[in-house]
Amino acid sequence: MIKKVILLLCVFSISSIHAQNAKELLDEVSKKVKDYNNIVINFKYALNNPTENVSQETRGEVTLQGNKYLLSLMGTEQMYDGKKLHVIIPEDEEINVSTQDEEDTSSITPSKMLTFYEDGYSYKMDIVQNVNGRKVQYVKLMPIDSKSDLKEILLGIDKETKHIYKMIQKQNNGTNVTITVNSFKTNQPISKTLFLFDESKYENYYINRLD
């Protein structure tokens, strides 16, 4: 009985150390991200669900500044000025306008892409991989909300730069979404109007206001 108690205490201690190390690493990533004036990321987006025989891969780019962002992905553009989100769909000549709940921890928006893990998750250290000479430390995050559609998230962090290299979202329905960073640029010269929607540029578009 005593041996079992000691074993449990050892397991608990090791788990606590791993969680602490994971938190320290995530805190470093968060601090570094918040120190930048802006971030421009070029990435690969892959969606896979073997059960549904769904597999697609594309590239995208996102510019982040505070809670504002401009995302180009799958032929659409998402522009968020901190209050309103404009989803521009050139193929349909349509624009959907809505608001975003900044307090919603269940959704990972582009503006939260590098800091979403600060609330709503437990976490622990996972494997380390060597990627083209770089050491990438993975942290496994599990949603605290038992009703979440997410099963777990793996964050791959470059141990030297403390930048996120890869994010793998595993959903309960078998869908995996993988975002791999191809380039990570900071403090770029960007226009002051980059995140501001200019309706005059879309005269022939149907604007669908959802709120």
Side-chain angles (χ1 to χ4, degrees), residues 45-108:
Y45 174 95
L47 184 147
N48 182 264
N49 187 321
T51 305
E52 300 294 332
N53 197 28
V54 174
S55 181
Q56 60 183 129
E57 188 175 299
T58 187
R59 293 184 180 275
E61 183 173 278
V62 62
T63 301
L64 307 165
Q65 187 174 55
N67 66 339
K68 301 175 184 178
Y69 63 83
L70 179 64
L71 169 68
S72 298
L73 181 67
M74 293 183 175
T76 68
E77 194 170 78
Q78 295 185 30
M79 181 184 298
Y80 183 61
D81 61 7
K83 295 181 179 179
K84 293 287 185 179
L85 171 65
H86 293 80
V87 179
I88 304 165
I89 312 170
E91 184 178 357
D92 299 331
E93 293 192 337
E94 181 178 326
I95 298 170
N96 294 319
V97 187
S98 61
T99 56
Q100 283 190 175
D101 182 2
E102 293 292 328
E103 303 302 320
D104 183 6
T105 59
S106 64
S107 62
I108 303 176

Side-chain angles (χ1 to χ4, degrees), residues 110-125:
S111 57
K112 297 178 183 176
M113 190 172 122
L114 303 176
T115 56
F116 72 90
Y117 47 78
E118 294 179 337
D119 296 299
Y121 296 88
S122 61
Y123 35 74
K124 64 180 181 179
M125 290 296 223

Side-chain angles (χ1 to χ4, degrees), residues 87 92-96 202-209:
V87 179
D92 299 331
E93 293 192 337
E94 181 178 326
I95 298 170
N96 294 319
Y202 305 94
E203 292 182 0
N204 299 320
Y205 280 57
Y206 170 71
I207 299 180
N208 183 22
R209 303 188 186 278

Side-chain angles (χ1 to χ4, degrees), residues 127-141:
I127 63 171
V128 178
Q129 284 186 341
N130 191 318
V131 181
N132 299 323
R134 293 188 298 172
K135 295 291 185 183
V136 177
Q137 170 69 62
Y138 281 86
V139 177
K140 182 181 290 186
L141 297 99

